[in-house]
Amino acid sequence: MTSKPVLSHTTSYKNNGSRVYIRDKKYCWIPASVVSTDTTSNTAIVSVDLAANWVSITSHTSDEQFDEENEREITVKLSDYPGGELPKQNADENGKLLAKSDMVDLPNLHEAGILYNLKCQHASGIPYSRVGDIVVAMNPFQRIENLYNEEKQKFYVNKIIWGGNQTSDKDFSMVRSKSTVASFFKFEKTHYDPHIYETSSRAYSGLYGMGASDQTILVSGESGAGKTETVKIVMSHLTKIATFHDGKDPPAKEIIDSVALSETLVTRILDSNPIFEAFGNATTLRNDNSSRFGRYTQLKFQLIQTSTNTFRKGPKPKRYTCVLSGADCTTYLLEKARVVSHVSKERNFHIFYQLLASPTTFRSEVWDVLANATAESFRYVGKPVIDIIGGKSDAQNWTDTQKDLCGLGIAGDKLLTMMRALCVILQLGNLTFGPDPANDDHTIVLNTDELGKLSEIMGISASLLNAALTERTITARGETHKVLLKVREAMDARDALAKEIYARLFDWLVKFINAATLGEKQNDNEHSYRNIGLLDLFGFEAFDVNRFEQLCINYANEKLQYKYARDNFRSLQEEYEAEGIDLFDFASVDNSPIFTLIQSSLGLFAVLNGECFLPNGNAKSFVYKAKKVHKDQPALVKKLLHGPSEFGIKHFAGDVVYDASEFIACNKDSISVDLIECASKSSNSLISDEFIKLSNEKKELSQVKGRRGAIFNQMTCTKFKSQVTSLMAVIDQSRTQFIRCIKPNKSMKPYVTDHTHTLVQLSSAGLLTAITIVRESYPDNLLYDEVFDRFQCLVPIAVSSDTNLKDQVSTLLSTVLDGMEKAVGSKMSYPFALGKTKVYFRVGSLEILESDRLNMYTKHALFIQSCVRRNLAMLKFAKMKEAVTLLRAHVLRKLTRTKYLKCRAGVIMLQTWIRRVLACDELLDLRKVDAAKNIQKRWRSRAPRIEFSKFKNATLLLQNVIRRAKNRTNFSSAMAACVEAARKDNTRIKLQHIISQEVAVHNSSGTDPWVLLGQCNKIMGDLGSNLYEVRHSCSDMKDEVRESKETISHLNTALQYSEAAYQAIKNNSNSSDVNTQKIQGQLRDSKMKINRHGKLLK
């Protein structure tokens, strides 16, 4: 049997030079090489081996520290490490660190291996890694080219949605069970780099097909880890998927129409993100653009079913496309306290700075005072520490915000009203209070000019504002009393009003955006709809001073962690328990005791609500009661060093100590009735409408029976608990995708990793716990019959058929996996476990079985292949032999034919030469005969030609004589006619002249015109007689011409007779030639006979 490789995480490091990780106080884990080991003392000497680029990619280090720490030798105790072994590095043979995009593929899976894999990926500019089906996103703190282009989006859409996610046998070397276990451990192995587009594409594909359901993408991480940007990128991808096309089939008409209708909706949804950033984000110490509220965005998709490839024969497969039809946003826990105060080096919400950086003309239109104001003019804002957010100045961001607001319909008067409400908040911060000189118990507004400005912008009289800010109305037992506020109380009232206005404005804006992005009303009778939820919530927070907001945030994160653990670990635990397999304690991932401590009927929230209901309730009393009620709760941290208003909670990410000094005020979050009534009278419609609603709510609350419970329901912690509960109910009804965002360093530098900070986040995200479970659990399982059928070929011993299947499988696996057991602490870790229906395998065990099976099949396959190749070679040889024989025959035939053709060509050439000689002699004789013929022709035709020439000449002479005589007569007659015509012309001319003169004389002397007329008639008569004579002469000439034609006809007839005689003579000459040819033929025959006789004689 072949030797078996040892599992990667159990590989011995004890050979000198092995590369391992050791713990370090500063860097948590540092790489080292084993120098030597001492089994007696259970120690090892290692040499620190830092990478050459350690300084440039590691936080809190310098060149001097690198030179000091590198290559130093350290003695470590092996008992301080899990299993008594140092964790091995994931390195190749040359010692180069291996970086895997899918961390499940790491040869050595442990905390240090995960840390350095993420560090290597981050230093290479690769932000995304994968743990199972969870995408881990390291914030690169820079824009990476081509990481989010359209080609990258289409790639994941085509791979996951259009191309499907089915894997063939080539992708897996093992067969896995199809049983339902945790999604973390049962995911389809992909062969492309991890990306958040992978998560969005999987969520989109889960909207239709088998097991279709609503989807939720949970994006978690601390502030600055890139949650908001990740949500924006995922949302943008989800809204564009329907526009992408796989190129195989043309998109259906209904899809094209739906996509066209949703373009405006998509634009509005994407434009809402910058608005939420402007009104809900701020600059903090950890992040320049930190979200100060939680947001759950639910994208609604219309499911469209179409046929593909209409011309394909057979049943038409269905193609599903989900087109965005609307969106709905729910916000959680807006940090209202930031409106009135923020620590140094931080900023208020971005919208205030954007408004103050807007064009002067717009500010003048909003409020005259705002035209010349700066950020320093308002106490709530103060001088900004930075004015560049996301690579843009506040003025540029204002332009984008205003454009997006206009795109949603907030423009003109509506925009001015909202901006004036912000000005009210800014101006409230400028009010200062002090004691009244006339009455120390009364508080007044010191800067009345600022109060006047506030009165102007709110549209409320200064006296009414002053009274609402410095007095409080109390109703007790049906009596109403006015109570004068102290300076501190007046300042709190001012801040409470500012916070409430901003909170109401923010809620109004959220409702307006939801109305603009809701789309068409869903009709379940016509279409199917699915939802994809995107949750962007605060990450786990633990500061030097943790207040009420941190408790709520961490409570929400505990809920998400519970969802994560339940989806990924709880089902696994239930399966192991059902199969009867013992595993490690799952209490490390079970955070349910936290909920008993916080949200139970006697939990912290209930105790806090009860304390808020008491007139003299305070933080110390709340902490005392909480510790007393939950003294036996394991989730409550009990330390004597805690202050009277401090308590601690053991969260899944670590212990957190809370300062409850302001818990009562934050939980009440109350505002006096005087301020509500005052704000309701504001000329600003947004403020007045919202505070009128608040006033009505207060009145309804005062009239409700069981007022204590109603008041509790209005407490901040109760409302937040209800919100989180409803959110988790929605998430539980959907399939969840996880994206864990990691902030690699606090200084927000690219390529640099802070080991301690990163490990804390990995622990908070539950990834280290998941890795621990992977290392200690059984990720692979097969049914007993599958194991026996698949691996019984590996057993060299005979297995009795009498024993049951479970015993046979146990004997089989014990034989094959012998020697793979290892000691983990005081327990033995076996490579497999036998359940009731399945066999469970440790990491690598099933791979070893598959490898041995493959080697066995390879060995037998090689033998079979050799036999087959021998038979194939023999068949090939026989065919080649037959082919060679046939080829030889063809070659011999061709050679013989070539020789024959050469001989034949020689004979033909000889025959040709002989025929040429004889033909030349015959040609010479023919030329002689032809010459004789020509002589005979010319001699015989000479006499007829002479006679014909005589006839022709005589005919021509006769024609000339006749024509000459005829032409002479005609010429004389024509000449006489011309002379007579000329004479008459002269007479006519003279007559015309005489007539002209006579007319002139007649005109002058009055002669009788009738005399002239008679003379003219005489002349015309003479002309008529002359015309008759001319016509008679023309008739005579025509007769002469006709006679000449008849004469010429007689002459032509005589010529034809002459030509016929000539032709007869020519024919006689031709017959003589024929006779001559016959004689020549007889002569040629005689010559040939003579030649033949001569040859015979030769």
Side-chain angles (χ1 to χ4, degrees):
M1 189 169 59
T2 57
S3 60
K4 306 175 187 58
V6 185
L7 293 181
S8 57
H9 62 274
T10 63
T11 303
S12 175
Y13 59 87
K14 296 181 180 179
N15 295 328
N16 295 342
S18 297
R19 299 182 180 274
V20 296
Y21 292 108
I22 60 173
R23 288 195 175 96
D24 184 77
K25 293 182 180 179
K26 185 176 183 180
Y27 301 110
C28 295
W29 293 98
I30 57 175
S33 299
V34 177
V35 177
S36 62
T37 57
D38 187 352
T39 56
T40 57
S41 60
N42 198 23
T43 59
I45 299 177
V46 297
S47 174
V48 177
D49 187 11
L50 303 181
N53 59 346
W54 177 268
V55 176
S56 61
I57 65 174
T58 309
S59 294
H60 313 300
T61 189
S62 62
D63 292 335
E64 293 78 8
Q65 292 173 337
F66 175 80
D67 295 336
E68 179 182 348
E69 295 176 356
N70 195 28
E71 296 184 358
R72 59 190 174 98
E73 292 189 354
I74 302 175
T75 301
V76 296
K77 294 181 179 180
L78 301 181
S79 58
D80 295 338
Y81 295 86
E85 297 179 353
L86 298 177
K88 288 199 64 178
Q89 296 183 26
N90 297 301
D92 58 13
E93 297 178 353
N94 299 322
K96 183 179 180 181
L97 191 65
L98 295 176
K100 298 289 185 180
S101 59
D102 193 336
M103 288 186 278
V104 174
D105 294 335
L106 289 174
N108 304 288
L109 198 60
H110 44 67
E111 179 180 296
I114 294 294
L115 172 64
Y116 277 85
N117 187 81
L118 290 175
K119 180 180 181 180
C120 185
Q121 292 279 92
H122 180 60
S124 302
I126 303 174
Y128 299 120
S129 302
R130 188 189 297 115
V131 179
D133 59 354
I134 301 172
V135 173
V136 180
M138 296 277 283
N139 193 340
F141 298 117
Q142 61 178 336
R143 180 64 62 181
I144 301 178
E145 187 178 359
N146 298 326
L147 187 61
Y148 306 105
N149 57 18
E150 186 171 329
E151 289 75 13
K152 187 75 70 175
Q153 297 181 42
K154 289 182 178 179
F155 172 81
Y156 286 93
V157 170
N158 291 333
K159 282 287 186 181
I160 297 174
I161 300 176
W162 307 139
N165 237 356
Q166 298 176 355
T167 45
S168 62
D169 292 339
K170 296 180 180 179
D171 300 327
F172 290 93
S173 60
M174 68 186 73
V175 178
R176 293 177 183 255
S177 170
K178 296 182 180 180
S179 60
T180 302
V181 288
S183 62
F184 177 84
F185 301 102
K186 294 297 178 183
F187 64 94
E188 293 182 348
K189 184 80 171 174
T190 58
H191 298 276
Y192 40 83
D193 294 335
H195 201 288
I196 55 176
Y197 289 155
E198 172 189 356
T199 303
S200 56
S201 298
R202 288 187 185 277
Y204 186 91
S205 64
L207 296 178
Y208 55 84
M210 293 184 62
S213 64
D214 292 344
Q215 305 287 313
T216 300
I217 299 177
L218 297 183
V219 183
S220 62
E222 72 168 33
S223 178
K227 300 187 302 299
T228 302
E229 286 298 319
T230 299
V231 169
K232 288 165 55 179
I233 295 170
V234 171
M235 184 183 298
S236 176
H237 188 224
L238 287 171
T239 58
K240 295 178 181 178
I241 288 178
T243 63
F244 297 144
H245 179 49
D246 59 353
K248 296 179 181 178
D249 300 303
K253 182 179 182 302
E254 57 266 30
I255 296 177
I256 297 175
D257 295 341
S258 299
V259 171
L261 291 174
S262 66
E263 287 182 355
T264 302
L265 188 61
V266 169
T267 302
R268 289 180 178 179
I269 293 173
L270 296 180
D271 288 347
S272 67
N273 288 321
I275 297 175
F276 278 119
E277 287 188 12
F279 285 85
N281 288 22
T283 298
T284 65
L285 296 175
R286 295 186 175 187
N287 186 7
D288 293 342
N289 190 25
S290 176
S291 297
R292 307 318 299 161
F293 70 105
R295 178 165 61 135
Y296 180 69
T297 304
Q298 199 170 49
L299 302 178
K300 303 178 183 298
F301 290 86
Q302 176 185 344
L303 187 62
I304 300 177
Q305 184 181 31
T306 58
S307 297
T308 61
N309 198 351
T310 306
F311 301 101
R312 184 183 299 168
K313 295 181 179 180
K316 303 296 185 295
K318 295 296 182 180
R319 166 66 57 81
Y320 292 91
T321 298
C322 298
V323 179
L324 187 67
S325 63
D328 184 69
C329 180
T330 304
T331 58
Y332 303 93
L333 207 65
L334 175 69
E335 190 184 12
K336 296 188 296 183
R338 183 169 293 272
V339 175
V340 298
S341 66
H342 54 83
V343 301
S344 60
K345 297 184 180 180
E346 290 191 351
R347 300 204 323 173
N348 208 319
F349 291 105
H350 295 324
I351 187 61
F352 293 112
Y353 302 94
Q354 293 179 11
L355 175 61
L356 293 170
S358 63
T360 305
T361 55
F362 178 78
R363 282 183 284 161
S364 300
E365 189 176 359
V366 174
W367 187 28
D368 294 339
V369 176
L370 203 64
N372 299 321
T374 61
E376 292 88 341
S377 303
F378 302 100
R379 189 181 64 83
Y380 280 165
V381 179
K383 183 177 181 180
V385 291
I386 58 172
D387 58 357
I388 302 296
I389 304 297
K392 294 183 179 180
S393 64
D394 289 327
Q396 293 172 324
N397 284 322
W398 163 254
T399 303
D400 296 339
T401 302
Q402 185 182 23
K403 178 181 177 182
D404 294 334
L405 287 171
C406 293
L408 291 174
I410 302 177
D413 293 339
K414 192 174 293 185
L415 178 62
L416 294 176
T417 300
M418 186 169 64
M419 294 300 108
R420 286 166 184 158
L422 293 176
C423 293
V424 170
I425 298 171
L426 293 175
Q427 186 60 26
L428 276 170
N430 288 348
L431 298 181
T432 58
F433 300 90
D436 187 355
N439 185 359
D440 293 339
D441 295 333
H442 189 205
T443 300
I444 62 172
V445 179
L446 298 179
N447 47 355
T448 55
D449 55 337
E450 297 294 340
L451 181 62
K453 295 178 183 178
L454 179 63
S455 173
E456 175 190 355
I457 190 64
M458 285 192 73
I460 303 175
S461 65
S463 59
L464 185 60
L465 279 172
N466 186 36
L469 290 170
T470 58
E471 297 177 357
R472 176 179 299 171
T473 301
I474 298 178
T475 302
R477 296 180 180 180
E479 298 181 359
T480 302
H481 303 277
K482 287 287 186 179
V483 177
L484 301 179
L485 300 180
K486 297 180 180 180
V487 174
R488 180 70 261 175
E489 293 174 340
M491 295 173 62
D492 292 341
R494 174 202 62 191
D495 293 343
L497 179 60
K499 291 188 291 183
E500 190 64 27
I501 292 175
Y502 192 82
R504 291 283 168 171
L505 185 149
F506 188 80
D507 291 341
W508 174 87
L509 182 62
V510 171
K511 293 176 183 177
F512 193 94
I513 292 175
N514 286 338
T517 59
L518 185 59
E520 298 181 359
K521 187 176 180 181
Q522 299 182 6
N523 187 348
D524 294 335
N525 295 328
E526 296 182 1
H527 300 289
S528 297
Y529 289 87
R530 291 281 187 269
N531 301 322
I532 296 180
L534 296 171
L535 180 61
D536 176 15
L537 196 63
F538 299 105
F540 184 84
E541 292 186 350
F543 303 135
D544 294 336
V545 178
N546 299 285
R547 307 189 185 278
F548 179 76
E549 289 81 5
Q550 280 69 49
L551 176 62
C552 294
I553 291 170
N554 293 340
Y555 166 70
N557 279 273
E558 289 285 357
K559 282 285 189 178
L560 296 178
Q561 178 65 18
Y562 179 77
K563 166 70 175 173
Y564 171 73
R566 185 181 60 188
D567 288 352
N568 293 295
F569 308 130
R570 180 60 62 186
S571 57
L572 184 67
Q573 180 187 16
E574 292 173 356
E575 180 179 356
Y576 285 172
E577 291 176 352
E579 290 288 333
I581 297 177
D582 294 330
L583 198 63
F584 68 94
D585 187 12
F586 275 86
S588 58
V589 296
D590 184 12
N591 62 343
S592 55
I594 292 290
F595 305 128
T596 305
L597 174 63
I598 296 178
Q599 69 177 22
S600 64
S601 59
L602 295 176
L604 296 180
F605 285 166
V607 175
L608 181 60
N609 288 338
E611 196 66 25
C612 292
F613 190 76
L614 298 176
N616 297 322
N618 57 77
K620 295 180 180 179
S621 175
F622 159 68
V623 173
Y624 174 77
K625 292 176 182 178
K627 290 183 177 180
K628 184 176 181 180
V629 172
H630 299 283
K631 59 182 179 180
D632 297 328
Q633 275 290 340
L636 183 66
V637 178
K638 309 174 188 66
K639 286 187 178 180
L640 297 177
L641 295 179
H642 285 168
S645 61
E646 291 181 344
F647 65 95
I649 298 178
K650 293 182 179 179
H651 289 286
F652 71 94
D655 296 351
V656 178
V657 177
Y658 295 96
D659 184 356
S661 302
E662 299 179 2
F663 272 33
I664 305 297
C666 292
N667 191 42
K668 287 182 178 180
D669 193 24
S670 60
I671 180 171
S672 68
V673 177
D674 303 82
L675 291 174
I676 295 175
E677 296 296 333
C678 178
S680 301
K681 299 176 183 179
S682 173
S683 61
N684 188 298
S685 59
L686 194 155
I687 296 176
S688 61
D689 292 346
E690 291 298 320
F691 274 83
I692 289 174
K693 294 178 184 178
L694 179 59
S695 177
N696 294 333
E697 292 173 2
K698 292 283 187 180
K699 291 178 182 179
E700 292 176 0
L701 180 63
S702 63
Q703 298 173 0
V704 174
K705 294 183 179 180
R707 189 164 174 266
R708 180 185 179 95
I711 293 176
F712 283 176
N713 291 334
Q714 296 300 313
M715 297 293 182
T716 302
C717 66
T718 305
K719 291 191 291 186
F720 183 70
K721 172 186 171 184
S722 300
Q723 285 183 316
V724 173
T725 302
S726 61
L727 172 64
M728 297 309 300
V730 173
I731 294 176
D732 287 339
Q733 297 299 320
S734 63
R735 186 176 185 274
T736 308
Q737 311 278 347
F738 294 94
I739 299 178
R740 298 298 195 184
C741 297
I742 303 296
K743 184 179 180 180
N745 60 81
K746 296 180 180 180
S747 55
M748 294 182 286
K749 296 180 180 179
Y751 308 118
V752 177
T753 302
D754 185 333
H755 291 194
T756 304
H757 191 59
T758 302
L759 277 179
V760 169
Q761 295 175 81
L762 289 175
S763 177
S764 301
L767 293 178
L768 295 181
T769 304
I771 293 165
T772 302
I773 294 177
V774 170
R775 184 173 64 243
E776 299 187 17
S777 65
Y778 304 94
D780 303 316
N781 61 80
L782 290 173
L783 297 174
Y784 280 104
D785 54 352
E786 291 178 350
V787 174
F788 188 76
D789 293 340
R790 190 167 183 82
F791 301 116
Q792 65 174 336
C793 57
L794 301 177
V795 180
I797 60 175
V799 179
S800 174
S801 59
D802 297 335
T803 57
N804 58 32
L805 183 60
K806 184 174 182 180
D807 294 337
Q808 293 179 9
V809 170
S810 177
T811 303
L812 187 154
L813 295 179
S814 298
T815 304
V816 178
L817 299 177
D818 184 30
M820 289 188 60
E821 302 85 359
K822 73 165 187 174
V824 179
S826 60
K827 297 182 180 179
M828 290 296 296
S829 175
Y830 296 95
F832 66 92
L834 301 176
K836 296 178 180 179
T837 61
K838 301 175 186 176
V839 181
Y840 290 82
F841 297 93
R842 294 274 188 190
V843 175
S845 300
L846 191 56
E847 285 84 347
I848 292 174
L849 291 174
E850 288 290 341
S851 177
D852 290 346
R853 179 174 175 271
L854 180 62
N855 292 335
M856 188 274 296
Y857 277 138
T858 301
K859 179 180 178 181
H860 289 81
L862 290 175
F863 177 75
I864 296 173
Q865 288 175 352
S866 63
C867 295
V868 172
R869 289 193 185 99
R870 173 183 172 277
N871 293 334
L872 293 176
M874 291 180 66
L875 292 174
K876 184 178 180 180
F877 172 75
K879 291 181 179 179
M880 290 178 63
K881 183 178 180 181
E882 182 180 356
V884 168
T885 302
L886 182 61
L887 179 63
R888 180 172 177 273
H890 282 292
V891 171
L892 291 176
R893 182 184 68 82
K894 186 170 181 63
L895 292 174
T896 304
R897 178 171 175 76
T898 302
K899 184 176 180 182
Y900 162 73
L901 291 176
K902 286 183 179 179
C903 294
R904 182 184 176 192
V907 172
I908 292 174
M909 185 179 292
L910 180 62
Q911 290 176 347
T912 303
W913 183 80
I914 293 173
R915 292 191 186 100
R916 175 185 174 278
V917 173
L918 295 177
C920 288
D921 293 341
E922 184 177 358
L923 177 62
L924 183 60
D925 293 338
L926 291 175
R927 287 178 177 175
K928 291 178 180 180
V929 172
D930 187 60
K933 287 181 181 179
N934 290 335
I935 293 171
Q936 290 176 353
K937 288 179 183 179
R938 292 191 176 275
W939 178 255
R940 290 171 183 159
S941 63
R942 182 172 178 275
R945 190 182 296 109
I946 292 172
E947 185 177 358
F948 172 75
S949 297
K950 288 179 179 180
F951 278 110
K952 185 176 180 181
N953 292 333
T955 302
L956 293 174
L957 180 61
L958 181 59
Q959 290 175 347
N960 291 334
V961 171
I962 294 171
R963 291 191 183 109
R964 185 167 59 251
K966 186 175 180 180
N967 292 337
R968 188 180 295 115
T969 303
N970 294 336
F971 177 76
S972 299
S973 300
M975 181 61 72
C978 290
V979 172
E980 183 63 21
R983 184 182 64 76
K984 291 181 179 181
D985 287 338
N986 290 331
T987 303
R988 181 177 55 76
I989 293 170
K990 289 178 180 181
L991 179 59
Q992 290 176 349
H993 182 65
I994 292 171
I995 291 171
S996 301
Q997 291 178 352
E998 289 298 331
V999 170
V1001 173
H1002 170 70
N1003 293 331
S1004 61
S1005 61
T1007 307
D1008 187 9
W1010 294 104
V1011 176
L1012 293 175
L1013 182 60
Q1015 292 178 358
C1016 290
N1017 290 333
K1018 181 180 179 181
I1019 293 172
M1020 295 302 292
D1022 293 338
L1023 291 175
S1025 61
N1026 291 336
L1027 179 61
Y1028 175 78
E1029 291 176 359
V1030 171
R1031 288 178 178 175
H1032 181 70
S1033 63
C1034 287
S1035 178
D1036 294 340
M1037 290 178 69
K1038 288 180 181 179
D1039 294 337
E1040 291 177 0
V1041 170
R1042 184 168 58 253
E1043 292 176 357
S1044 298
K1045 288 182 178 180
E1046 291 177 355
T1047 305
I1048 291 172
S1049 177
H1050 292 310
L1051 291 174
N1052 287 333
T1053 303
L1055 180 61
Q1056 289 176 359
Y1057 288 151
S1058 299
E1059 289 178 350
Y1062 173 74
Q1063 187 64 33
I1065 294 172
K1066 186 176 180 181
N1067 291 335
N1068 292 332
S1069 175
N1070 289 335
S1071 62
S1072 300
D1073 291 339
V1074 173
N1075 294 331
T1076 303
Q1077 289 177 358
K1078 290 181 180 179
I1079 294 172
Q1080 289 177 350
Q1082 293 175 359
L1083 178 61
R1084 187 165 51 254
D1085 292 339
S1086 300
K1087 286 183 177 181
M1088 291 177 66
K1089 291 179 181 179
I1090 292 172
N1091 289 332
R1092 282 197 297 273
H1093 290 305
K1095 291 178 180 179
L1096 292 173
L1097 292 173
K1098 288 180 180 180

